[in-house]
Amino acid sequence: MFKTIALTVLAVAAWTTPLLADDKPNIVFILADDLGFGDVSYYAKAIQNQEPLVSTPNIDSLAAQGLWFTDGHSATALCAPTRYAVMSGNNNYRSYAPAGVWSTFAPTAFKEGEVTLGTVVRDAGYSTGFIGKWHLGGDFYVPGTKEIYRGAKSGDLIEKVDVTRWIGGGPKYCGFDYDFTAPCGIQGPMYLFYENQRWSPWADDSEIIFFNEQSAKNPKDVSDKGPGLGDSNWDTREVGKILSSKAVDFIQSGAKSDEPFFLYYCSPMVHLPHCPTDEFDGRKVKGSSVTAHLDMLADLDMQVKRIVDALKASGEFENTLIVFSADNGGLQDGKATKAIGYQPGGEWNGSKNSPLEGGHRVPTFAVWPGHIKPGITNELAVNQDMVATFAALVGTEIPEGQAQDSNNLLPLLTGMGSFQQREFFINQAGSRQELMLRKMTWKLIIQSNFKRTSFEPKSLYNLQNDPHEKRNLIHNPEFETVVDQMFNEYVDIVKSGRPTVPGR
């Protein structure tokens, strides 16, 4: 897995078209939900040299035109904390909620005046749009008052919170001119859409109701996160079509403008609940695979197709940087198992929520015709690197002390300039509060607690010799010095607050 890939920055530099200072390509950043290496057929075919269990032809076609990162990661192994890191360029321990902002009604973790994924592009003259799953908190009034509701996120809240307007802490606060947002994706609660901070009814006869198994048109739409406020016409099976149609509208509108555009598209697929639609633009979805979970991959694949088709139809594909990633690793599936050829992390052990590589090593690639040479690289990249990468692309300067964990990948992608590798990589797992420090081949897992007041070394792996993380060396006296050095370094990095990427 640490094989040498026949692609170097110098080779890329010899191929690419020179990037002029005034070039301003469009940017489309697609973030999938709960998607592992084992979910994308390109990985099985191009990396594992085997036949995939499921097919994602549209994602595959796009990936084949770009640079694929075998060492591509989500910032964490869980949804909400990754979304904070991607938007801010900071690791989660820098926020007030190091384990993530989980409630729809929690205060935002973004500080006023600090750069975000949206502001670094907007400030360069781009039209910016956010479409999809938010899961980063927000401000809503208590009915009849100017008081911000901070109570429970689930249950019958009809008389307790006014959800017709999103007052603050949403995409607009983070630099997006336009948004069409599902605050919790498809997992709820809430089960509502918002367009530019106002509730967007599903249909003319829609009402905001207590959305539970008795009131929902499809009881399975009420996920394991429970009932809550929702649109009376909410239908999870159609969400992918609605969001991708809004993405098409945004692209078409942007193509007609004199300004370049940036679309941050956060698909809620393939998160629970797994409610596949019957078909998507003529392609069978429900029943197309061995489980409803894997059926949802077809839905995601068609969302990507719509976005790419819209770029091509508007003549903007050649002038667009497309980045694809996921918020964490794939899901375990009770029916689709390794025995029949499915493993969420592909050849990596672990899945969503796990500190093992499969929990946070995710499908990651970048496409920009004429500027990024198609190929495969083993350089490390993290989706929180997009803040620094996009800022470098459009010419926005990041103030000192901000986006401290976002590495500029642009020289690596285009071969122009000097790419600076990370010397180490800090990330975190999920609900069990494990933290990780990687010094490339060495990986230390540290057990912490919710408030990050305790730290204890838990596991040590050498990914070069043990890529499947089967041999925990934590109690091996031969590696006691490695454990002590890495543990002390982790604690020092976090407590000092210093940046974790070069040049910041």
Side-chain angles (χ1 to χ4, degrees):
M1 296 188 194
F2 283 85
K3 60 188 178 183
T4 300
I5 305 295
L7 176 66
T8 67
V9 174
L10 289 176
V12 176
W15 181 86
T16 53
T17 302
L19 177 62
L20 302 178
D22 60 349
D23 279 349
K24 285 192 174 181
N26 307 308
I27 305 170
V28 173
F29 182 16
I30 301 172
L31 190 75
D33 199 328
D34 292 355
L35 193 77
F37 275 155
D39 296 317
V40 176
S41 50
Y42 175 87
Y43 182 79
K45 292 182 289 188
I47 309 299
Q48 295 181 290
N49 295 314
Q50 64 184 42
E51 283 299 311
L53 178 64
V54 293
S55 179
T56 52
N58 297 295
I59 296 174
D60 293 4
S61 176
L62 191 59
Q65 298 174 68
L67 183 62
W68 178 281
F69 289 84
T70 61
D71 208 356
H73 295 262
S74 55
T76 79
L78 214 51
C79 169
T82 287
R83 292 171 193 275
Y84 165 78
V86 169
M87 187 68 75
S88 68
N90 288 321
N91 285 330
N92 273 69
Y93 59 77
R94 302 187 193 278
S95 83
Y96 83 86
V101 176
W102 291 99
S103 174
T104 308
F105 307 114
T108 180
F110 306 112
K111 298 177 182 177
E112 189 171 357
E114 286 193 342
V115 299
T116 66
L117 192 68
T119 65
V120 296
V121 182
R122 182 201 63 191
D123 292 351
Y126 277 65
S127 171
T128 55
F130 176 91
I131 295 174
K133 177 178 177 179
W134 184 245
H135 220 168
L136 290 166
D139 301 340
F140 297 82
Y141 285 144
V142 173
T145 76
K146 297 297 182 181
E147 177 188 350
I148 301 298
Y149 175 81
R150 297 294 184 212
K153 67 178 180 179
S154 60
D156 188 352
L157 304 177
I158 293 291
E159 303 296 329
K160 297 180 180 180
V161 55
D162 178 4
V163 293
T164 60
R165 291 184 299 156
W166 194 331
I167 303 305
K172 183 178 180 180
Y173 183 81
C174 291
F176 292 93
D177 304 313
Y178 169 82
D179 76 274
F180 188 86
T181 305
C184 304
I186 54 176
Q187 70 194 76
M190 301 183 292
Y191 302 89
L192 297 169
F193 287 130
Y194 289 83
E195 190 163 29
N196 294 331
Q197 299 82 57
R198 291 187 176 274
W199 170 48
S200 180
W202 190 288
D204 291 341
D205 63 345
S206 284
E207 297 178 292
I208 296 175
I209 62 171
F210 176 41
F211 190 85
N212 59 16
E213 291 185 357
Q214 288 70 47
S215 62
K217 291 187 174 182
N218 177 25
K220 290 184 178 180
D221 286 349
V222 182
S223 79
D224 60 335
K225 304 301 180 184
L229 296 179
D231 191 304
S232 56
N233 287 298
W234 182 271
D235 186 348
T236 299
R237 294 165 292 192
E238 302 304 307
V239 168
K241 297 175 187 175
I242 292 173
L243 294 178
S244 55
S245 70
K246 291 293 182 178
V248 170
D249 291 345
F250 180 80
I251 290 168
Q252 290 174 340
S253 176
K256 296 175 184 177
S257 170
D258 292 333
E259 298 177 337
F261 59 83
F262 167 44
L263 171 62
Y264 183 24
Y265 184 79
C266 291
S267 173
M269 280 62 179
V270 293
H271 198 287
L272 287 166
H274 296 136
C275 300
T277 185
D278 289 334
E279 62 82 34
F280 196 132
D281 292 349
R283 177 178 172 181
K284 179 180 179 181
V285 175
K286 186 176 182 179
S288 62
S289 187
V290 293
T291 67
H293 162 215
L294 297 183
D295 285 349
M296 300 306 294
L297 292 172
D299 193 300
L300 172 65
D301 193 56
M302 293 303 293
Q303 293 174 48
V304 172
K305 182 179 188 301
R306 277 190 176 181
I307 290 172
V308 172
D309 285 351
L311 289 170
K312 291 180 177 178
S314 61
E316 296 294 333
F317 182 75
E318 301 292 326
N319 188 42
T320 302
L321 167 64
I322 304 173
V323 176
F324 183 97
S325 187
D327 65 348
N328 48 247
L331 300 169
Q332 294 286 351
D333 190 316
K335 293 182 180 178
T337 64
K338 192 173 182 178
I340 64 169
Y342 178 72
Q343 189 168 337
E347 55 196 304
W348 300 95
N349 280 341
S351 55
K352 176 181 179 177
N353 204 42
S354 169
L356 301 181
E357 290 296 290
H360 49 86
R361 207 176 269 238
V362 297
T364 305
F365 61 87
V367 178
W368 186 10
H371 294 277
I372 298 176
K373 183 179 181 180
I376 300 169
T377 178
N378 57 2
E379 289 284 2
L380 191 149
V382 190
N383 47 28
Q384 71 195 34
D385 292 339
M386 293 311 112
V387 174
T389 301
F390 295 166
L393 175 68
V394 303
T396 303
E397 186 162 340
I398 297 176
E400 185 177 351
Q402 299 187 34
Q404 296 186 81
D405 310 300
S406 186
N407 198 24
N408 175 17
L409 303 179
L410 191 62
L412 175 63
L413 297 177
T414 66
M416 300 183 68
S418 178
F419 172 62
Q420 294 181 278
Q421 294 176 313
R422 276 182 167 85
E423 295 180 1
F424 56 88
F425 172 39
I426 282 182
N427 63 335
Q428 65 188 61
S431 59
R432 294 184 291 271
Q433 312 304 324
E434 295 118 328
L435 317 171
M436 294 88 81
L437 170 63
R438 180 168 154 203
K439 294 294 290 284
M440 297 321 137
T441 61
W442 288 107
K443 176 179 173 181
L444 181 68
I445 300 174
I446 299 167
Q447 185 64 59
S448 187
N449 59 1
F450 190 79
K451 294 184 177 181
R452 298 294 195 271
T453 56
S454 69
F455 304 91
E456 182 180 355
K458 177 181 178 181
S459 306
L460 176 72
Y461 298 105
N462 186 323
L463 296 179
Q464 178 73 51
N465 302 326
D466 180 26
H468 297 294
E469 297 170 280
K470 295 289 190 181
R471 298 187 295 275
N472 183 1
L473 305 174
I474 196 78
H475 298 303
N476 189 324
E478 181 181 351
F479 303 107
E480 183 177 350
T481 300
V482 175
V483 173
D484 290 344
Q485 287 179 344
M486 290 185 68
F487 177 72
N488 291 333
E489 183 174 3
Y490 179 90
V491 173
D492 179 67
I493 291 167
V494 172
K495 289 189 174 181
S496 70
R498 69 177 188 264
T500 66
V501 294
R504 184 69 72 240

